[in-house]
Amino acid sequence: MGGAGADRGGAAPPEHAMTARQVHRAPADLDDPAAGFSPVNWEQVGEHEFVVRLRYRHGEWPLATAHAVRQAALLVAHEAYGVPRGDHCVFRSLSCTMTAGSPAPLEPGTETTLRLSCLQPDLRRGRLVGARFRGEPADGEPPAGRAEVDFAFLSPAVYRFVRGSGGGGEGAGESATGGREFRPAPEQLVFRGKPVDHIPGMVLAAAALDAAAGPDTTPTGLTCTFTGYTTPDEPVRLHLHDATATTAEKTVEVWALQSGRRVFEGTVLTG
């Protein structure tokens, strides 16, 4: 969802954001109580390079890494690139992976630092309408892994159109039976403490990881795309296909259907 725009990748953030090497406190209104990390501060260290400090709350690897990068990316999008608070952030894709071994869980309240790169800023007349962000530990600090998130930033009017059209979901007419049914809990339908009218992308990603986990396997990575608007009023059916190529690492293809539309698809790696 979301296409290429003019001035892709070449333009710098707005002039007011170019305060190099100055640490900025994260505004309280950008905190998301439901997320696994809370942003503390951020610093711009290059044209599209940032260092973001976050405080851990909860969550398991590898999705905790994606939560950290997502929170850092949203902070930078609003504060460094000037994305309006009222715009809607729509997931297009995400990937996350753990480093080798099983990272030890963090204690709640632990602070960690990410190096965040805005790899593909899509600016139209100086306004960021889409971007892919990559985050990884700075100076070897946890979280133990790396992640990429790809967002479209939609004005309220554009978002209403996308929502009304179903978001362009693929595979219309696919079977609504089979797989396993997923319905989000009420507490999962929030963003920054306020109700939302869709199933958040991180909730679908977590459901995919849970579905692929087994008694002897633990998810170690996820790569996925979001292909349509997902209403919370209808059940989602998760489908799995074992695509393992080696005995050392299991690969599971996963996709989600809602009302005959494919709204999510990806690959889960398990160890």
Side-chain angles (χ1 to χ4, degrees):
M1 289 160 49
D7 306 321
R8 187 177 183 86
E15 185 175 349
H16 67 78
M18 299 297 290
T19 52
R21 312 306 299 183
Q22 179 180 348
V23 177
H24 306 266
R25 185 185 300 273
D29 69 313
L30 295 184
D31 193 15
D32 183 3
F37 286 82
S38 176
V40 176
N41 57 48
W42 65 279
E43 177 185 4
Q44 187 165 2
V45 296
E47 184 179 15
H48 297 294
E49 302 286 334
F50 306 86
V51 171
V52 182
R53 194 156 186 83
L54 306 104
R55 184 175 297 112
Y56 174 76
R57 285 194 179 114
H58 57 79
E60 298 180 357
W61 316 116
L63 201 60
T65 303
H67 269 296
V69 175
R70 164 183 168 266
Q71 287 294 95
L74 291 176
L75 171 67
V76 165
H78 288 298
E79 293 297 285
Y81 291 94
V83 172
R85 295 288 204 272
D87 277 14
H88 293 263
C89 171
V90 176
F91 255 121
R92 294 186 290 206
S93 67
L94 77 81
S95 64
C96 55
T97 183
M98 296 194 307
T99 53
S102 179
L106 297 178
E107 290 292 330
T110 301
E111 291 193 1
T112 184
T113 304
L114 287 178
R115 180 170 292 275
L116 187 75
S117 302
C118 184
L119 301 178
Q120 295 178 332
D122 186 351
L123 294 113
R124 300 180 187 177
R125 296 185 294 276
R127 177 172 174 171
L128 190 70
V129 297
R132 182 163 62 94
F133 294 89
R134 175 186 296 160
E136 56 189 2
D139 303 323
E141 293 191 32
R146 54 185 49 83
E148 289 188 13
V149 296
D150 190 353
F151 293 135
F153 300 104
L154 308 181
S155 69
V158 172
Y159 177 76
R160 286 193 297 271
F161 172 79
V162 171
R163 181 186 62 187
S165 66
E170 299 177 355
E174 291 191 60
S175 174
T177 61
R180 62 180 71 184
E181 183 176 290
F182 169 72
R183 290 181 183 268
E187 61 269 19
Q188 293 178 305
L189 302 176
V190 296
F191 177 63
R192 294 176 184 160
K194 298 180 180 179
V196 295
D197 64 351
H198 62 282
I199 300 177
M202 294 300 291
V203 173
L204 286 174
L209 289 171
D210 288 343
D216 300 318
T217 57
T218 301
T220 60
L222 169 68
T223 299
C224 63
T225 58
F226 304 87
T227 58
Y229 169 77
T230 312
T231 174
D233 303 324
E234 298 291 336
V236 172
R237 304 202 70 86
L238 289 167
H239 295 258
L240 303 175
H241 171 68
D242 187 350
T244 301
T246 67
T247 57
E249 190 172 65
K250 182 178 179 182
T251 302
V252 179
E253 295 176 356
V254 56
W255 63 98
L257 301 178
Q258 186 179 65
S259 301
R261 295 180 301 110
R262 187 173 294 209
V263 295
F264 169 96
E265 57 189 17
T267 301
V268 178
L269 298 178
T270 64

